[in-house]
Amino acid sequence: MSDSVFRKKSVVKAVAEVDEGSSSHMNKVLGVRDLTSFGIAAIIGAGIFSTIGRASVNGGPAVSLLFVFTAIACVFTALSYAQFASTVPVSGSAYTYAYVSFGEIFAWIIGWALILEYAVSNMVVAISWSEYFTSMLEGFGVHFPGYWATDYGSAARAYAEVQASTAPGSLPASTQELAQAFRDAPTLGGLKLIADLPAGVITVLITALVYVGIKESRTASNILVVLKLAVIGLVIGAGAFYVKPENWSPFAPNGVGGVLSGVASVFFAFIGFDSISTTAEECRNPQRDLPRAMIYCLIICTVLYVLITLVLTGMVNYKELGVDDPLAYVFQKVDLNFVAGIISVSAVVAITSALLVFQLGQPRIWMTMSRDGLLWPRFSKIHPRYRTPSFSTIVTGFLVAVPSLFMDMQFFIDLTSVGTFFAFILVCGGILYLDAKGLSSQSKFKVPYINGKYIIGLLLILTVFLVARSGHLFSGIEEKPLLAFFWLTWVILAVLAFRSNFSLLPVLGILTNLYLMTELGISNWLIFVIWLVIGLLIYFSYGYRKSRLATLQG
């Protein structure tokens, strides 16, 4: 039915549309090395330089295992992304994959979620970049005004905390600095003028680079990634000589719960491998190179994360890592200030490269949705000279730069993960659809098939037994009601797998991502739902009627 919200786009049509209109004139310059570089640039950014410390405070040295667990969840998903990328080499990433699998309404929802994911991710990255940039300036003796390097809410809360405290001097130094920034800030009409200017400025500069072209972005990314990997190698090599094995004991001081409490931060550190699929139309051989690049960058980054975590928790006690710049901090503790200085400078470089890749990916999501008629035509306009989605890139710049001037970083981290998990689950589910419809035969890369007919049900029985034996089955659901949905989904998948011989790895991808979602806060879910409601209003007021697929079928 042409008027159905579940109308699907065929794989053949999705690929054929790439060769139509102005989109076919995008520069095809990316190879597997460039794509792997983009993936590393996106993954190794703010996560390894900041959130890795916060996760270690609660999880201890065992956070290294959480990186492995999260990487495994990402591998299941990356394999699914890789198969889709080889089947539908189009810039829309999970949006396009959902369009051919589940239909238009799901494609819209996932596209809208991806817009949130990329925008929010870059807000986090931009704010983190600002922190490291101002810290680097301090290292060179240049003081940047605090009220121009933070958000109003954080400064106001710190000021209120200092005012209410009977012993302000005992408060953390960061709180006192923020309070001082609030006091020093200029006023206009009784309102304190506070904004994170470095975060906004770097977003504008990166947006300008992305606007100019993919070749320039590729060159900048490759250079930044080489510098980043060199510094990480220095951290691991130099830090290994200062590791004290006694710091790894106890390995998991707060048990499994303490380790899993860092899941949002750790997962945020892995976000990015999927973003390279948005450059499919600028790849020389997307069906071959995209799958390889996704797997390569994920393996490289996982090994580096585990090594970095073990070195950090081995150099100092895990309790000391709750700082914004844990890598620089541990080397200052062992009097290697020269290395700490190099890390501060390299963090600015590393985070810049992550900002570049996410800012590159989001406009291509807008472009693809617009090309399908679900967004206004201007979003799919290709610049006649630079061969980039020009209007979409400008909108992306504003969407990221303005909130990063005024919002708090911690607010965004969990919110980023909700949209990403949702996208990952749909992509894994899409592989089951391709298998069921026989479309996997068109894939040049396939998720290795392992028959899950009995395995999925047996794993469910074993897991329920072990959790029930520990006494946490019902108490866990009381603490986290979303776990009930997780168990119900597993039961349904076990039944369907028995009936339809589901492939095991995509199902494991669905379950691991769904479980990780249950670890996120309910407030972030509410905000995500509000975002989806706004998106659905736009879809039914515009996209549903203007959909190109509806027009062609009608």
Side-chain angles (χ1 to χ4, degrees), residues 161-237:
E161 187 176 350
V162 168
Q163 292 296 103
S165 176
T166 55
S170 63
L171 294 174
S174 58
T175 301
Q176 296 181 51
E177 290 172 3
L178 285 173
Q180 187 62 45
F182 187 86
R183 280 191 290 265
D184 295 341
T187 59
L188 180 64
L191 179 66
K192 292 283 187 178
L193 299 180
I194 300 174
D196 198 338
L197 289 184
V201 171
I202 189 59
T203 301
V204 172
L205 293 176
I206 291 295
T207 301
L209 175 61
V210 171
Y211 183 91
V212 167
I214 188 67
K215 288 183 180 179
E216 293 76 8
S217 300
R218 175 193 63 181
T219 301
S221 175
N222 288 342
I223 294 172
L224 293 173
V225 166
V226 169
L227 292 173
K228 181 192 306 189
L229 292 179
V231 171
I232 290 174
L234 172 65
V235 169
I236 295 171

Side-chain angles (χ1 to χ4, degrees), residues 189 201 311 387 408 488:
V201 171
V311 167
R387 317 314 308 168
D408 178 24
L488 177 62

Side-chain angles (χ1 to χ4, degrees), residues 42 53 105 138 141 278 324 392-393 397 435 469 473 494 523 529 552:
I105 186 65
E138 289 288 347
T278 64
D324 290 332
S392 295
T393 301
D435 289 345
R469 187 178 180 183
L473 181 61
S523 60
V529 169
L552 293 174

Side-chain angles (χ1 to χ4, degrees), residues 49 136 227-228 231-232 341-351:
F49 286 98
M136 181 187 73
L227 292 173
K228 181 192 306 189
V231 171
I232 290 174
I342 293 176
I343 291 171
S344 294
V345 175
S346 67
V348 174
V349 172
I351 297 173

Side-chain angles (χ1 to χ4, degrees), residues 80-98:
S80 299
Y81 263 95
Q83 179 169 331
F84 264 117
S86 74
T87 311
V88 196
V90 180
S91 291
S93 186
Y95 158 77
T96 301
Y97 308 157

Side-chain angles (χ1 to χ4, degrees), residues 471-480:
H472 293 136
L473 181 61
F474 296 105
S475 61
I477 294 175
E478 290 177 3
E479 293 175 9
K480 299 171 184 175

